[in-house]
Amino acid sequence: MTGEGERWIDGDALERLVLDLAHFGATGETGVARLVYSLEWAAAQDQIAAWMTEAGLRVERDSVGNVWGYLDGAEGGQPIIATGSHIDSQNPGGRFDGALGVVAGITALAALRRRFGVPGPTLAAVSLVEEEASRFPAANFWGSRAIVGKIAPDEAKRLRGYDGVTMAEAMRDAGYDPARIDTAKRDDIGAFIELHIEQGPFLEHEDVAVGIVERITGYRQYLVTLEGTANHAGTTPMDLRRDAMAGAAEIISGVVNTAHRMGRPCVTTVGRMTVAPNERAVIPRQVAFTVDARSPDPAQRELLLARHEALMEEVAARRDLALHLRIDSDRQPIACDPALVAALSAAAAEAGITAMPMTSGAVHDAMQIAAMAPVAMVFVRSRGGISHAPEEYTSTADAAAGTEVLARALHRLAYQS
């Protein structure tokens, strides 16, 4: 067996793939705007398919556009072991979020094929569709939800993007038939490991390149709408106002402070707001804003959500405002599979790579796949904890270390089992 210190992964080759993929949808010096079903996204998926073929993988595309590359195993008909992530980006995002996990999967499978030949169970690398919801609000995890059969029959027609185009229209423009979404559902995934940049500061703070995720956070995303009465800013007494902005300000401050007081790992964010009328001298009639509340601890998450909703109701009632709550997404925390976590830990030790156990504060496609298969995640260090921005950066050495751990874990699962 290959000993400690000898690396299976060529970091320079891995970096070239990351940089080459970043050309598709490049904005500015380091930014990427690669929205699902766009021309840039389609060209990037074509490139992914080409790299899979060059790596000796058998390539398939499913009905929503997920690209699969298979290293076929000797044990035909057995559940597959898959790895991968997504290549869609924020608008704009950076080069590494999601994309690193896709090229790492291809690189790991290519290394295993060269060194060890045919695995027992089939291995697969996958480039998933629309994790970010950067083109279509509430459409995140489109590809992984299709795999587990969680896309409603009429959802593609109902979802409308920020550009006004429906998901169904965008799919047809890219050559996919929304009537066939259900055929992307699978029942043959036996395990899924996703490599991703950390998107946070913990690995950098501890000066560790690789993290092994034990739990993925749960969250609830609301659209909160407060309705009051528009009126003159100078002639309406404070005690007679139905001021939607005043209510919004109180709620926003309150939910953020609630999470802060509850402490780590609770977090709450208000990220988008619309105001009507949006004028200097008019009391706003309506304010709508998003609330994103998260915790990886199930009981703590429920307490956080209960406190948020109680505050919203109390403020609205006291200020005589109509409150409308729409839950756009609601995910329970998940625990990563102990056997897969153990395989990753053993792989890191075998390679002589320090890897720390950690929790994911961001959500990932692995959460969706967990509905049908055991999952785990490998994190690699993000400089400054920055992500969802052109400035995000992961060094070649760190990316290679994470991919090394991934490859060796897949070797344990597919060649030594």
Side-chain angles (χ1 to χ4, degrees):
M1 183 166 207
T2 301
E4 179 180 324
E6 181 182 350
R7 291 290 183 253
W8 299 359
I9 300 301
D10 181 342
D12 292 335
L14 182 67
E15 180 185 39
R16 284 195 297 273
L17 293 183
V18 171
L19 296 180
D20 286 349
L21 190 62
H23 290 147
F24 299 95
T27 63
E29 192 171 329
T30 60
V32 174
R34 195 162 49 225
L35 308 187
V36 69
Y37 299 133
S38 67
L39 294 176
E40 297 81 9
W41 174 89
Q45 288 287 66
D46 287 344
Q47 181 63 79
I48 291 295
W51 285 337
M52 288 176 172
T53 299
E54 291 170 11
L57 308 181
R58 176 174 55 87
V59 179
E60 290 181 354
R61 301 186 194 226
D62 64 25
S63 58
V64 296
N66 296 318
V67 180
W68 295 86
Y70 301 98
L71 179 54
D72 289 314
E75 302 170 4
Q78 296 298 312
I80 68 173
I81 300 170
T83 184
S85 193
H86 61 95
I87 64 161
D88 60 285
S89 75
Q90 289 292 324
N91 189 23
R95 299 171 173 177
F96 297 90
D97 182 357
L100 178 60
V102 175
V103 299
I106 298 169
T107 301
L109 266 57
L112 293 174
R113 178 176 175 271
R114 287 193 305 270
R115 286 176 170 268
F116 304 105
V118 177
T122 292
L123 291 168
V126 60
S127 180
L128 295 163
V129 175
E130 180 67 321
E131 192 263 3
E132 299 285 9
S134 53
R135 183 178 180 185
F136 294 91
N140 47 344
F141 311 116
W142 189 253
S144 51
R145 285 199 293 127
I147 290 168
V148 299
K150 288 189 176 180
I151 296 179
D154 64 341
E155 194 168 346
K157 295 179 180 178
R158 289 189 288 105
L159 285 175
R160 191 171 295 276
Y162 295 113
D163 56 3
V165 175
T166 67
M167 177 66 84
E169 291 167 338
M171 289 184 69
R172 282 191 288 267
D173 288 345
Y176 298 98
D177 182 357
R180 299 188 63 249
I181 288 173
D182 62 334
T183 65
K185 183 179 179 181
R186 305 186 67 121
D187 60 4
D188 62 345
I189 299 177
F192 180 76
I193 301 176
E194 182 173 3
L195 182 145
H196 207 280
I197 61 172
E198 182 197 354
Q199 303 179 279
F202 294 103
L203 289 172
E204 185 175 64
H205 184 267
E206 298 297 326
D207 194 23
V208 174
V210 176
I212 297 174
V213 176
E214 296 180 325
R215 182 174 288 275
I216 304 173
T217 196
Y219 69 99
R220 182 174 293 172
Q221 293 175 329
Y222 301 90
L223 177 65
V224 182
T225 304
L226 294 170
E227 297 273 358
T229 301
N231 217 325
H232 196 289
T235 63
T236 310
M238 299 300 290
D239 57 307
L240 298 181
R241 296 185 179 203
R242 299 179 66 239
D243 186 340
M245 180 62 82
E250 188 173 350
I251 290 171
I252 291 168
S253 177
V255 297
V256 171
N257 287 336
T258 295
H260 191 268
R261 286 193 300 271
M262 289 179 66
R264 296 182 183 181
C266 281
V267 291
T268 295
T269 304
V270 175
R272 181 185 289 264
M273 174 182 283
T274 59
V275 181
N278 193 17
E279 300 294 340
R280 186 185 298 258
V282 181
I283 299 166
R285 175 187 58 81
Q286 181 190 83
V287 177
F289 55 95
T290 59
V291 174
D292 180 311
R294 307 185 185 208
S295 174
D297 180 270
Q300 189 183 56
R301 172 186 177 271
E302 294 307 312
L303 179 59
L304 179 68
L305 297 176
R307 288 177 174 175
H308 284 353
E309 293 180 14
L311 173 67
M312 294 173 194
E313 291 169 0
E314 189 277 325
V315 170
R318 175 164 42 81
R319 291 185 174 275
D320 192 22
L321 301 170
L323 170 68
H324 306 280
L325 284 182
R326 188 183 81 193
I327 297 175
D328 289 330
S329 192
D330 192 21
R331 311 286 178 189
Q332 292 289 338
I334 69 157
C336 291
D337 180 72
L340 294 182
V341 169
L344 290 166
S345 299
E350 174 187 270
I353 294 170
T354 301
M356 62 178 277
M358 60 188 308
T359 293
S360 173
V363 293
H364 299 281
D365 286 299
M367 291 186 76
Q368 304 301 315
I369 306 298
M372 67 178 299
V375 302
M377 294 193 70
V378 179
F379 274 177
V380 290
R381 177 165 43 190
S382 300
R383 186 174 66 189
I386 296 171
S387 73
H388 285 186
E391 295 77 20
E392 70 185 19
Y393 177 76
T394 289
S395 72
T396 299
D398 289 354
T403 307
E404 186 81 25
V405 171
L406 173 66
R408 289 174 182 257
L410 293 173
H411 177 260
R412 287 174 170 271
L413 297 170
Y415 291 88
Q416 296 182 329
S417 57

